[in-house]
Amino acid sequence: MVTLLRYSLFLLLISTTFSQIQEIHCKHFFFGYPTGTPVTNDLIIRDTYALSNNDATKFADWVAYRLTLHEVDGTLDLDRKWKADPWLDENETLEPISPDDYRRANDSLGTDRGHQAPLASFKGSRYASQVNFLSNITPQSSDLNQGVWKDLEEQVRDVVRTGRAVFVMTGPLYETQMRELPFADETHVVPSGYWKIVTVVESDNSFNTASFVFNQDTPRNDLVIDHITTIDDIESRSGLDFFRELEDTEEATLQGDDHLQWASQFFN
C-alpha cells in the first residue's frame, strides 16, 4: 500500500516541476501536444503514438495518437506480447519479466493491463506491437477496461471508418490513493481514473471534439455518453494544458463546452 507520505510527495513532485514548452512537430499532435508534465518526463514518439512517461508514477501522463483507415482497417494478427519499453531505463517503467510487475494484479486488484493507445485500433499498422510496451499500459479496472472504455475505443474506430481522421489524447488521473500492484519491485502510483479527448477532423478548416472522464470504479455497463465532460474539466483535474496552439478565444470556446449535441451522433 502506498503510504500517505509517499503519495503526498508524489503529488508535490508532479505539481511543482514542469517542462519548458518546446516546438515539437509530430503527426500525432493536433494544435500542439499536452504541456504541464514534470521536467523529468521522457517524451517518446513512435509511428503508432507519442507519449510522455512519468518517472515517478512509471506510467505515461499522456498518450497521443492519430487514426485513419490505414491504421484501423487491416488483417494483422494482434498478439499481446508485453515488453518493457526499450527506450526507457529500468527504473523509469514497469517490466513484464524478472519479475512480472503485473503478476496476480487481476486476482488482487481486479485490474487488467489496459492500453492507452488501443491495440485493436492498429490492425492495419505493421508497427502495432509498439502499443504493447508497458509505457503504454496502466493497471486498469477489468470492468472499465472491458466495458465502457472498450466501447469508447470501438466507437472511435467507427468514426474513423466514416472516412474522418481522428486524433486522440488520453491519460491517467491521480485524485485518490489506490492500492499498488502487489508484486511490482519498482515504486509506482496506480491511477484512480482516466481521461480521453477525441478530435474528429471534418475538413481542412473544421473539427469537433468530445471529452470523457472515467473513474477506476466505473460500472462495466455504463454508457460512454454519460461520461462526457469539458476539456476545461480535464485540464483542472490532470494539471495539463491542451490545444495551446489555438488562438486564445477559440481555445476558450472549444474547452468550455462539452459538445454534447455533436458527440451524441457518434458516442452512446
Side-chain angles (χ1 to χ4, degrees), residues 47-67:
D47 188 84
T48 48
Y49 58 80
L51 64 78
S52 181
N53 190 79
N54 189 303
D55 292 349
T57 67
K58 303 299 187 290
F59 306 116
D61 283 333
W62 57 261
V63 178
Y65 54 98
R66 177 179 182 267
L67 294 177

Side-chain angles (χ1 to χ4, degrees), residues 42 58 117 222:
D42 294 82
K58 303 299 187 290
D222 267 17

Side-chain angles (χ1 to χ4, degrees), residues 219-232:
R220 181 181 292 251
N221 295 323
D222 267 17
L223 297 177
V224 169
I225 201 66
D226 289 343
H227 291 266
I228 198 165
T229 188
T230 65
I231 298 172
D232 279 345

Side-chain angles (χ1 to χ4, degrees), residues 24 46 66 68 82 95-96 105 115 140 150 160 170 176 199 211 223 243 249 251 253 258:
I24 299 174
R46 294 192 163 100
R66 177 179 182 267
T68 66
W82 312 112
E95 299 167 315
H115 291 86
Q140 192 171 54
K150 179 181 178 182
V160 175
T170 186
T176 58
T199 301
S211 307
L223 297 177
F243 299 100
T249 302
E251 181 181 0
T253 301
D258 64 11

Side-chain angles (χ1 to χ4, degrees), residues 223-257:
L223 297 177
V224 169
I225 201 66
D226 289 343
H227 291 266
I228 198 165
T229 188
T230 65
I231 298 172
D232 279 345
D233 178 50
I234 295 175
E235 285 190 337
S236 68
R237 296 168 70 172
S238 68
L240 300 175
D241 183 27
F242 306 102
F243 299 100
R244 61 179 178 80
E245 293 181 4
L246 280 176
E247 191 273 331
D248 288 346
T249 302
E250 186 177 1
E251 181 181 0
T253 301
L254 172 73
Q255 298 188 164
D257 192 324

Side-chain angles (χ1 to χ4, degrees), residues 105-161:
N106 185 267
D107 295 336
S108 300
L109 306 179
T111 58
D112 296 338
R113 303 181 194 213
H115 291 86
Q116 297 207 63
L119 181 61
S121 295
F122 294 93
K123 287 185 176 181
S125 173
R126 61 187 174 128
Y127 302 104
S129 62
Q130 295 174 346
V131 305
N132 291 325
F133 292 141
L134 291 194
S135 56
N136 181 52
I137 305 297
T138 68
Q140 192 171 54
S141 160
S142 297
D143 281 343
L144 176 57
N145 183 50
Q146 299 173 32
V148 67
W149 188 260
K150 179 181 178 182
D151 293 341
L152 176 53
E153 292 172 344
E154 291 175 346
Q155 290 169 22
V156 167
R157 290 190 288 271
D158 287 342
V159 175
V160 175
R161 292 187 181 104

Side-chain angles (χ1 to χ4, degrees), residues 5 8 59 70 98 100 130 181 257:
L5 176 59
S8 298
F59 306 116
H70 170 75
S98 302
D100 178 1
Q130 295 174 346
L181 295 167
D257 192 324

